[in-house]
């Protein structure tokens, strides 16, 4: 963290967060537009659920970005990556484990 002027730490962290979130949203909008154009090109019809799913995917990515930033502030790079991957995998596996336990209990 090399800063040429004295800037408070919270300003640096907020700038980092806002910059990364804006780049993430820009990338997700670009990728979503490409996917929707390709979907329309192959003859698909648009549905409101597509836009809701894109919005929730962006929200999920922003939450993961927040976790990665928090972990990067308190640990080194390798542990930050491992902790972020652990949160991501755990968050996406919980629904599957609930489904598996429901199937096992119904038999």
């Amino acid at each position: 963290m090399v800063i040429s002027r004295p800037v408070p730490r919270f300003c640096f962290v907020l700038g980092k967060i806002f910059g990364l979130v804006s780049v993430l949203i820009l990338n997700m909008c670009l990728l979503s537009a490409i996917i929707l154009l390709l979907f329309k090109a192959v003859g698909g019809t648009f549905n409101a659920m597509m836009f809701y799913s894109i919005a929730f995917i962006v929200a999920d990515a922003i939450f993961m970005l927040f976790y990665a930033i928090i972990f990067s502030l308190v640990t080194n790079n390798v542990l930050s990556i491992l902790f972020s991957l652990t949160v991501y995998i755990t968050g996406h596996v919980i629904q599957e484990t609930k489904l598996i336990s429901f199937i096992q209990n119904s038999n």
Side-chain angles (χ1 to χ4, degrees):
M1 179 170 95
V2 177
I3 301 176
S4 61
R5 296 185 318 167
V7 176
R9 184 159 177 85
F10 75 92
C11 288
F12 175 75
V13 172
L14 282 178
K16 187 176 185 179
I17 289 171
F18 288 136
L20 288 171
V21 167
S22 63
V23 167
L24 181 91
I25 289 174
L26 182 67
N27 284 335
M28 294 297 266
C29 288
L30 182 65
L31 289 172
S32 298
I34 291 170
I35 293 288
L36 291 174
L37 286 174
L38 288 174
F39 181 71
K40 186 67 174 172
V42 296
T45 58
F46 291 120
N47 188 354
M49 290 302 290
M50 291 177 168
F51 299 106
Y52 288 130
S53 65
I54 291 170
F56 282 113
I57 289 170
V58 170
D60 182 35
I62 289 173
F63 283 130
M64 281 309 304
L65 177 69
F66 288 156
Y67 282 123
I69 290 172
I70 289 171
F71 290 142
S72 71
L73 290 176
V74 296
T75 62
N76 61 12
N77 292 339
V78 175
L79 287 177
S80 174
I81 292 169
L82 290 176
F83 290 158
S84 299
L85 282 174
T86 303
V87 169
Y88 179 79
I89 291 170
T90 303
H92 285 92
V93 169
I94 287 175
Q95 186 64 31
E96 297 300 320
T97 57
K98 285 181 182 178
L99 180 66
I100 290 171
S101 66
F102 176 74
I103 291 171
Q104 287 177 351
N105 290 337
S106 66
N107 288 335

